[in-house]
Amino acid sequence: MNLISMPGIVYQDESTIMICRFSPKVTLSLLSACLLTGPVALAVFSPAALADAAAVASPADSASAVAPVAALYDALKAAQKTGKTAQQRATMIAPAVDHAFDLEAILRRSVGVRYNSLSPSDRTRLLGSFRQFTIAHYAASFKPQAQAAFTISSQTRPNPTGGVIVDTTIGGTDGGNVVPIDYIMTNGASGWRITDVLLNAHISQVAAQRSDFGGALSQGGANGLADHLDDKTAHFLHD
């Protein structure tokens, strides 16, 4: 995936402006909660589904769905400001990742139908590896010395296939290189959680990971995929 240049940018949520730091050159995958390398996958919705999604969420629902994303960005801002090492940043980011993402739902959808045939121990190990990978990828991306920030829309919009979408962007303070990053939020027993991320409003993290995960599973099974994620985690945490 091509690299894009990210000069200093501003993170704001309507009335608040906060500065955070981001690596000056990042891939789109780093901005989307850690997409793995794989074919680009587009989210395609039928006209009927788009029509059903025309309604606007209530202010209360929007605020509840936006909160986990805002908290994640706050954690990233703090980590890049005071986390001197990748491991320190990972420790700071971890609680926000656990709160914002439904990692099990993302993993299940990324693995696909083969997830149902995995043993409980395989699922447990895979989830642990996927969690550490996600955290480490953020920790490796948000380093000191390079500024960046996000805009978050305070109003969500319905997702055609369920839940709502929180629209955010990342870009330069000069207004250039703005990249839309949309979070699909699903409301469950633990409240609103991220269940997919869309780059440029249509490139699905889950769909892209499904291809990469499928290859690792075919070659080495569940342990092979877990090892694949563990190797990436070790790389990200190596300063």
Side-chain angles (χ1 to χ4, degrees):
M1 198 169 288
N2 294 332
L3 293 176
I4 56 175
S5 175
M6 287 291 174
I9 53 182
V10 178
Y11 159 51
Q12 60 184 21
D13 57 357
E14 298 300 318
S15 61
T16 304
I17 296 179
M18 293 176 280
I19 299 298
C20 66
R21 298 184 183 279
F22 204 94
S23 175
K25 282 190 175 182
V26 294
T27 66
L28 290 180
S29 62
L30 299 185
L31 305 179
S32 69
C34 317
L35 278 176
L36 295 178
T37 302
V40 171
L42 306 184
V44 180
F45 303 122
S46 68
L50 292 172
D52 290 340
V56 177
S58 71
D61 283 343
S62 289
S64 297
V66 168
V69 178
L72 174 66
Y73 286 170
D74 287 344
L76 296 176
K77 171 182 174 288
Q80 63 80 33
K81 184 177 181 180
T82 61
K84 295 182 179 180
T85 68
Q87 187 60 64
Q88 289 176 341
R89 294 191 295 276
T91 300
M92 298 174 67
I93 293 166
V97 169
D98 289 336
H99 175 68
F101 289 90
D102 187 340
L103 291 173
E104 185 174 12
I106 295 173
L107 177 63
R108 184 188 309 112
R109 294 175 60 202
S110 297
V111 170
V113 294
R114 280 183 284 189
Y115 187 85
N116 295 329
S117 64
L118 298 178
S119 69
S121 60
D122 283 343
R123 293 184 188 183
T124 298
R125 190 194 169 194
L126 271 179
L127 181 59
S129 295
F130 183 59
R131 174 182 179 271
Q132 293 298 329
F133 163 79
T134 302
I135 294 166
H137 211 165
Y138 273 122
S141 303
F142 284 81
K143 301 177 180 179
Q145 293 143 12
Q147 293 186 8
F150 301 85
T151 64
I152 306 177
S153 173
S154 62
Q155 179 61 57
T156 63
R157 55 191 172 92
N159 178 41
T161 57
V164 299
I165 297 175
V166 174
D167 297 308
T168 79
T169 64
I170 184 170
T173 51
D174 59 359
N177 297 322
V178 175
V179 179
I181 302 183
D182 301 339
Y183 295 87
I184 295 180
M185 311 295 294
T186 302
N187 194 12
S190 299
W192 289 99
R193 308 280 289 280
I194 299 167
T195 52
D196 200 359
V197 184
L198 303 178
L199 294 174
N200 286 329
H202 58 263
I203 303 174
S204 167
Q205 170 192 349
V206 165
Q209 287 182 164
R210 187 175 297 126
S211 175
D212 186 68
F213 285 13
L217 280 168
S218 296
Q219 294 179 15
N223 286 331
L225 175 55
D227 289 342
H228 176 67
L229 294 172
D230 291 344
D231 287 345
K232 288 179 176 290
T233 296
H235 174 75
F236 291 140
L237 295 181
H238 180 71
D239 288 320

Short mmCIF file of all heavy atoms in Angstrom, two decimals, residues 57-109:
data_model
loop_
_atom_site.label_atom_id
_atom_site.label_comp_id
_atom_site.label_asym_id
_atom_site.label_seq_id
_atom_site.Cartn_x
_atom_site.Cartn_y
_atom_site.Cartn_z
N ALA A 57 -29.23 9.23 13.39
CA ALA A 57 -29.25 8.73 14.76
C ALA A 57 -29.56 9.86 15.73
O ALA A 57 -29.27 11.03 15.47
CB ALA A 57 -27.91 8.10 15.10
N SER A 58 -30.16 9.52 16.87
CA SER A 58 -30.47 10.53 17.88
C SER A 58 -29.19 11.08 18.47
O SER A 58 -28.15 10.41 18.45
CB SER A 58 -31.32 9.91 18.98
OG SER A 58 -30.54 9.01 19.76
N PRO A 59 -29.20 12.32 19.01
CA PRO A 59 -27.99 12.89 19.62
C PRO A 59 -27.41 12.00 20.72
O PRO A 59 -26.19 11.88 20.84
CB PRO A 59 -28.49 14.22 20.18
CG PRO A 59 -29.65 14.59 19.30
CD PRO A 59 -30.31 13.29 18.98
N ALA A 60 -28.26 11.37 21.52
CA ALA A 60 -27.77 10.52 22.61
C ALA A 60 -27.05 9.30 22.06
O ALA A 60 -25.97 8.93 22.54
CB ALA A 60 -28.94 10.08 23.50
N ASP A 61 -27.64 8.66 21.02
CA ASP A 61 -26.99 7.50 20.42
C ASP A 61 -25.68 7.90 19.76
O ASP A 61 -24.68 7.18 19.83
CB ASP A 61 -27.90 6.86 19.38
CG ASP A 61 -29.00 6.03 20.03
OD1 ASP A 61 -28.87 5.69 21.22
OD2 ASP A 61 -30.00 5.73 19.33
N SER A 62 -25.67 9.04 19.09
CA SER A 62 -24.45 9.51 18.44
C SER A 62 -23.35 9.74 19.45
O SER A 62 -22.21 9.31 19.26
CB SER A 62 -24.72 10.80 17.65
OG SER A 62 -25.51 10.54 16.50
N ALA A 63 -23.68 10.41 20.56
CA ALA A 63 -22.67 10.69 21.58
C ALA A 63 -22.11 9.41 22.16
O ALA A 63 -20.90 9.29 22.38
CB ALA A 63 -23.28 11.55 22.68
N SER A 64 -22.97 8.41 22.39
CA SER A 64 -22.51 7.14 22.96
C SER A 64 -21.62 6.38 21.99
O SER A 64 -20.65 5.74 22.40
CB SER A 64 -23.72 6.27 23.33
OG SER A 64 -24.49 6.89 24.35
N ALA A 65 -21.93 6.45 20.70
CA ALA A 65 -21.14 5.74 19.70
C ALA A 65 -19.82 6.43 19.43
O ALA A 65 -18.81 5.77 19.15
CB ALA A 65 -21.94 5.61 18.41
N VAL A 66 -19.80 7.75 19.50
CA VAL A 66 -18.58 8.51 19.24
C VAL A 66 -17.58 8.39 20.40
O VAL A 66 -16.36 8.40 20.19
CB VAL A 66 -18.92 10.00 18.99
CG1 VAL A 66 -17.67 10.86 19.01
CG2 VAL A 66 -19.63 10.15 17.65
N ALA A 67 -18.08 8.23 21.62
CA ALA A 67 -17.23 8.26 22.82
C ALA A 67 -16.04 7.29 22.76
O ALA A 67 -14.92 7.68 23.10
CB ALA A 67 -18.07 8.02 24.07
N PRO A 68 -16.22 6.02 22.37
CA PRO A 68 -15.07 5.11 22.35
C PRO A 68 -13.99 5.55 21.36
O PRO A 68 -12.79 5.37 21.62
CB PRO A 68 -15.68 3.78 21.94
CG PRO A 68 -17.12 3.87 22.30
CD PRO A 68 -17.48 5.30 22.06
N VAL A 69 -14.39 6.11 20.23
CA VAL A 69 -13.42 6.58 19.24
C VAL A 69 -12.66 7.78 19.78
O VAL A 69 -11.42 7.86 19.65
CB VAL A 69 -14.12 6.92 17.91
CG1 VAL A 69 -13.10 7.46 16.90
CG2 VAL A 69 -14.84 5.71 17.34
N ALA A 70 -13.37 8.70 20.40
CA ALA A 70 -12.73 9.87 20.99
C ALA A 70 -11.75 9.46 22.08
O ALA A 70 -10.64 10.01 22.19
CB ALA A 70 -13.78 10.83 21.54
N ALA A 71 -12.13 8.49 22.90
CA ALA A 71 -11.25 8.01 23.97
C ALA A 71 -10.00 7.34 23.38
O ALA A 71 -8.90 7.49 23.93
CB ALA A 71 -12.00 7.05 24.88
N LEU A 72 -10.16 6.61 22.29
CA LEU A 72 -9.02 5.99 21.64
C LEU A 72 -8.05 7.05 21.15
O LEU A 72 -6.83 6.95 21.36
CB LEU A 72 -9.50 5.14 20.46
CG LEU A 72 -8.40 4.53 19.59
CD1 LEU A 72 -7.59 3.49 20.37
CD2 LEU A 72 -9.02 3.88 18.34
N TYR A 73 -8.57 8.09 20.52
CA TYR A 73 -7.70 9.15 20.02
C TYR A 73 -7.02 9.90 21.18
O TYR A 73 -5.86 10.30 21.07
CB TYR A 73 -8.50 10.13 19.16
CG TYR A 73 -8.86 9.58 17.79
CD1 TYR A 73 -9.77 10.26 16.98
CD2 TYR A 73 -8.32 8.40 17.31
CE1 TYR A 73 -10.10 9.79 15.73
CE2 TYR A 73 -8.64 7.91 16.06
CZ TYR A 73 -9.54 8.61 15.27
OH TYR A 73 -9.86 8.13 14.02
N ASP A 74 -7.73 10.09 22.29
CA ASP A 74 -7.12 10.72 23.45
C ASP A 74 -5.94 9.89 23.96
O ASP A 74 -4.89 10.44 24.34
CB ASP A 74 -8.15 10.88 24.57
CG ASP A 74 -9.16 11.98 24.29
OD1 ASP A 74 -8.90 12.81 23.39
OD2 ASP A 74 -10.21 12.01 24.96
N ALA A 75 -6.11 8.57 23.97
CA ALA A 75 -5.03 7.69 24.44
C ALA A 75 -3.83 7.75 23.50
O ALA A 75 -2.68 7.75 23.95
CB ALA A 75 -5.55 6.26 24.57
N LEU A 76 -4.10 7.79 22.20
CA LEU A 76 -3.01 7.89 21.25
C LEU A 76 -2.27 9.21 21.39
O LEU A 76 -1.03 9.25 21.30
CB LEU A 76 -3.56 7.74 19.83
CG LEU A 76 -4.19 6.39 19.48
CD1 LEU A 76 -4.78 6.43 18.08
CD2 LEU A 76 -3.18 5.27 19.60
N LYS A 77 -3.00 10.27 21.65
CA LYS A 77 -2.38 11.58 21.86
C LYS A 77 -1.46 11.55 23.07
O LYS A 77 -0.32 12.03 23.03
CB LYS A 77 -3.47 12.63 22.04
CG LYS A 77 -2.97 14.00 22.49
CD LYS A 77 -4.13 14.94 22.68
CE LYS A 77 -3.67 16.27 23.26
NZ LYS A 77 -3.29 16.16 24.67
N ALA A 78 -1.96 10.97 24.17
CA ALA A 78 -1.15 10.90 25.38
C ALA A 78 0.06 10.01 25.19
O ALA A 78 1.17 10.32 25.66
CB ALA A 78 -2.00 10.40 26.54
N ALA A 79 -0.12 8.90 24.50
CA ALA A 79 0.98 7.95 24.31
C ALA A 79 2.10 8.56 23.49
O ALA A 79 3.28 8.41 23.82
CB ALA A 79 0.46 6.69 23.65
N GLN A 80 1.76 9.26 22.42
CA GLN A 80 2.81 9.84 21.60
C GLN A 80 3.50 11.00 22.28
O GLN A 80 4.63 11.32 21.98
CB GLN A 80 2.24 10.27 20.24
CG GLN A 80 1.18 11.34 20.28
CD GLN A 80 1.75 12.75 20.42
OE1 GLN A 80 2.83 13.02 19.91
NE2 GLN A 80 1.03 13.60 21.11
N LYS A 81 2.82 11.59 23.25
CA LYS A 81 3.41 12.73 23.95
C LYS A 81 4.38 12.29 25.04
O LYS A 81 5.43 12.92 25.24
CB LYS A 81 2.30 13.59 24.56
CG LYS A 81 2.80 14.85 25.25
CD LYS A 81 1.64 15.69 25.75
CE LYS A 81 2.13 16.96 26.41
NZ LYS A 81 1.00 17.79 26.90
N THR A 82 4.06 11.21 25.76
CA THR A 82 4.88 10.83 26.91
C THR A 82 5.49 9.44 26.82
O THR A 82 6.34 9.09 27.64
CB THR A 82 4.04 10.90 28.20
OG1 THR A 82 2.94 9.98 28.11
CG2 THR A 82 3.48 12.30 28.40
N GLY A 83 5.07 8.62 25.85
CA GLY A 83 5.62 7.28 25.73
C GLY A 83 6.93 7.28 24.97
O GLY A 83 6.94 7.42 23.75
N LYS A 84 8.03 7.09 25.66
CA LYS A 84 9.34 7.18 25.03
C LYS A 84 9.67 5.93 24.21
O LYS A 84 10.43 6.00 23.25
CB LYS A 84 10.42 7.41 26.09
CG LYS A 84 10.28 8.74 26.81
CD LYS A 84 11.39 8.94 27.83
CE LYS A 84 11.26 10.29 28.53
NZ LYS A 84 12.34 10.50 29.53
N THR A 85 9.13 4.79 24.60
CA THR A 85 9.38 3.56 23.87
C THR A 85 8.07 2.98 23.37
O THR A 85 6.99 3.31 23.87
CB THR A 85 10.08 2.51 24.76
OG1 THR A 85 9.17 2.08 25.79
CG2 THR A 85 11.33 3.09 25.39
N ALA A 86 8.17 2.08 22.40
CA ALA A 86 6.97 1.44 21.87
C ALA A 86 6.25 0.65 22.96
O ALA A 86 5.02 0.62 23.01
CB ALA A 86 7.33 0.53 20.70
N GLN A 87 7.01 0.01 23.84
CA GLN A 87 6.40 -0.76 24.90
C GLN A 87 5.65 0.13 25.88
O GLN A 87 4.56 -0.21 26.34
CB GLN A 87 7.45 -1.57 25.65
CG GLN A 87 6.86 -2.52 26.69
CD GLN A 87 5.92 -3.54 26.08
OE1 GLN A 87 6.34 -4.37 25.27
NE2 GLN A 87 4.65 -3.50 26.44
N GLN A 88 6.21 1.28 26.20
CA GLN A 88 5.51 2.24 27.08
C GLN A 88 4.23 2.72 26.42
O GLN A 88 3.18 2.81 27.07
CB GLN A 88 6.43 3.42 27.39
CG GLN A 88 7.57 3.10 28.33
CD GLN A 88 8.51 4.28 28.53
OE1 GLN A 88 8.54 5.22 27.72
NE2 GLN A 88 9.30 4.23 29.59
N ARG A 89 4.30 3.01 25.14
CA ARG A 89 3.10 3.48 24.44
C ARG A 89 2.05 2.39 24.37
O ARG A 89 0.86 2.64 24.52
CB ARG A 89 3.47 3.98 23.04
CG ARG A 89 4.35 5.23 23.05
CD ARG A 89 4.47 5.85 21.67
NE ARG A 89 5.15 5.00 20.72
CZ ARG A 89 6.47 4.92 20.58
NH1 ARG A 89 7.27 5.64 21.38
NH2 ARG A 89 7.02 4.13 19.68
N ALA A 90 2.49 1.15 24.17
CA ALA A 90 1.55 0.04 24.13
C ALA A 90 0.81 -0.12 25.45
O ALA A 90 -0.41 -0.36 25.47
CB ALA A 90 2.29 -1.26 23.79
N THR A 91 1.52 0.04 26.55
CA THR A 91 0.88 -0.06 27.87
C THR A 91 -0.17 1.02 28.06
O THR A 91 -1.24 0.77 28.63
CB THR A 91 1.95 0.03 28.97
OG1 THR A 91 2.89 -1.04 28.82
CG2 THR A 91 1.32 -0.06 30.35
N MET A 92 0.11 2.22 27.56
CA MET A 92 -0.82 3.33 27.69
C MET A 92 -2.03 3.17 26.78
O MET A 92 -3.15 3.53 27.14
CB MET A 92 -0.10 4.65 27.38
CG MET A 92 1.05 4.98 28.31
SD MET A 92 1.97 6.45 27.79
CE MET A 92 0.71 7.72 28.04
N ILE A 93 -1.82 2.61 25.61
CA ILE A 93 -2.87 2.50 24.60
C ILE A 93 -3.81 1.33 24.88
O ILE A 93 -5.00 1.37 24.55
CB ILE A 93 -2.24 2.35 23.20
CG1 ILE A 93 -1.52 3.64 22.80
CG2 ILE A 93 -3.28 1.97 22.15
CD1 ILE A 93 -0.59 3.47 21.61
N ALA A 94 -3.30 0.27 25.49
CA ALA A 94 -4.05 -0.98 25.64
C ALA A 94 -5.46 -0.81 26.21
O ALA A 94 -6.41 -1.37 25.65
CB ALA A 94 -3.25 -1.97 26.49
N PRO A 95 -5.66 -0.07 27.32
CA PRO A 95 -7.02 0.04 27.86
C PRO A 95 -8.00 0.68 26.87
O PRO A 95 -9.17 0.27 26.80
CB PRO A 95 -6.84 0.91 29.10
CG PRO A 95 -5.42 0.72 29.51
CD PRO A 95 -4.67 0.59 28.21
N ALA A 96 -7.53 1.66 26.10
CA ALA A 96 -8.41 2.32 25.14
C ALA A 96 -8.77 1.39 23.99
O ALA A 96 -9.90 1.41 23.49
CB ALA A 96 -7.74 3.59 24.61
N VAL A 97 -7.82 0.56 23.54
CA VAL A 97 -8.10 -0.42 22.49
C VAL A 97 -9.13 -1.42 22.99
O VAL A 97 -10.10 -1.75 22.28
CB VAL A 97 -6.81 -1.13 22.06
CG1 VAL A 97 -7.13 -2.34 21.17
CG2 VAL A 97 -5.90 -0.16 21.32
N ASP A 98 -8.96 -1.91 24.21
CA ASP A 98 -9.92 -2.86 24.78
C ASP A 98 -11.31 -2.26 24.88
O ASP A 98 -12.31 -2.95 24.69
CB ASP A 98 -9.45 -3.31 26.16
CG ASP A 98 -8.22 -4.20 26.11
OD1 ASP A 98 -7.99 -4.85 25.07
OD2 ASP A 98 -7.48 -4.25 27.11
N HIS A 99 -11.38 -0.98 25.20
CA HIS A 99 -12.68 -0.31 25.37
C HIS A 99 -13.32 0.01 24.03
O HIS A 99 -14.55 -0.07 23.89
CB HIS A 99 -12.49 0.98 26.17
CG HIS A 99 -13.73 1.80 26.30
ND1 HIS A 99 -14.82 1.41 27.05
CD2 HIS A 99 -14.07 3.01 25.76
CE1 HIS A 99 -15.76 2.33 26.98
NE2 HIS A 99 -15.33 3.30 26.19
N ALA A 100 -12.51 0.40 23.03
CA ALA A 100 -13.07 0.89 21.77
C ALA A 100 -13.44 -0.22 20.80
O ALA A 100 -14.42 -0.11 20.07
CB ALA A 100 -12.09 1.85 21.10
N PHE A 101 -12.67 -1.31 20.79
CA PHE A 101 -12.84 -2.35 19.78
C PHE A 101 -13.51 -3.59 20.33
O PHE A 101 -13.24 -4.01 21.45
CB PHE A 101 -11.48 -2.78 19.21
CG PHE A 101 -10.83 -1.75 18.33
CD1 PHE A 101 -9.97 -0.80 18.86
CD2 PHE A 101 -11.06 -1.74 16.97
CE1 PHE A 101 -9.37 0.15 18.06
CE2 PHE A 101 -10.46 -0.80 16.15
CZ PHE A 101 -9.61 0.16 16.70
N ASP A 102 -14.37 -4.20 19.52
CA ASP A 102 -14.84 -5.55 19.78
C ASP A 102 -13.89 -6.46 19.01
O ASP A 102 -14.17 -6.89 17.89
CB ASP A 102 -16.29 -5.73 19.30
CG ASP A 102 -16.88 -7.08 19.70
OD1 ASP A 102 -16.08 -8.00 20.00
OD2 ASP A 102 -18.10 -7.20 19.72
N LEU A 103 -12.74 -6.74 19.61
CA LEU A 103 -11.69 -7.46 18.92
C LEU A 103 -12.11 -8.87 18.54
O LEU A 103 -11.72 -9.38 17.48
CB LEU A 103 -10.43 -7.50 19.79
CG LEU A 103 -9.72 -6.14 19.98
CD1 LEU A 103 -8.59 -6.28 20.99
CD2 LEU A 103 -9.19 -5.62 18.65
N GLU A 104 -12.91 -9.51 19.37
CA GLU A 104 -13.36 -10.86 19.05
C GLU A 104 -14.25 -10.87 17.82
O GLU A 104 -14.14 -11.74 16.95
CB GLU A 104 -14.08 -11.50 20.23
CG GLU A 104 -14.47 -12.95 19.97
CD GLU A 104 -15.06 -13.64 21.19
OE1 GLU A 104 -15.39 -12.94 22.17
OE2 GLU A 104 -15.18 -14.88 21.14
N ALA A 105 -15.14 -9.87 17.71
CA ALA A 105 -16.01 -9.79 16.54
C ALA A 105 -15.19 -9.53 15.28
O ALA A 105 -15.46 -10.11 14.21
CB ALA A 105 -17.05 -8.69 16.73
N ILE A 106 -14.21 -8.65 15.38
CA ILE A 106 -13.36 -8.35 14.22
C ILE A 106 -12.56 -9.59 13.82
O ILE A 106 -12.45 -9.92 12.64
CB ILE A 106 -12.42 -7.17 14.54
CG1 ILE A 106 -13.22 -5.89 14.75
CG2 ILE A 106 -11.40 -6.98 13.41
CD1 ILE A 106 -12.39 -4.71 15.24
N LEU A 107 -11.99 -10.29 14.81
CA LEU A 107 -11.23 -11.50 14.52
C LEU A 107 -12.11 -12.56 13.88
O LEU A 107 -11.72 -13.20 12.89
CB LEU A 107 -10.60 -12.04 15.81
CG LEU A 107 -9.82 -13.34 15.68
CD1 LEU A 107 -8.62 -13.17 14.76
CD2 LEU A 107 -9.38 -13.83 17.06
N ARG A 108 -13.31 -12.77 14.42
CA ARG A 108 -14.22 -13.78 13.90
C ARG A 108 -14.55 -13.49 12.43
O ARG A 108 -14.52 -14.40 11.58
CB ARG A 108 -15.51 -13.81 14.72
CG ARG A 108 -16.47 -14.91 14.29
CD ARG A 108 -17.81 -14.79 15.00
NE ARG A 108 -17.67 -14.67 16.43
CZ ARG A 108 -17.95 -13.58 17.13
NH1 ARG A 108 -18.42 -12.50 16.52
NH2 ARG A 108 -17.79 -13.56 18.44
N ARG A 109 -14.85 -12.25 12.12
CA ARG A 109 -15.20 -11.90 10.75
C ARG A 109 -13.98 -11.94 9.84
O ARG A 109 -14.10 -12.24 8.65
CB ARG A 109 -15.85 -10.52 10.73
CG ARG A 109 -17.20 -10.47 11.45
CD ARG A 109 -17.73 -9.06 11.50
NE ARG A 109 -17.93 -8.52 10.17
CZ ARG A 109 -17.98 -7.22 9.90
NH1 ARG A 109 -17.83 -6.33 10.87
NH2 ARG A 109 -18.17 -6.81 8.66
#
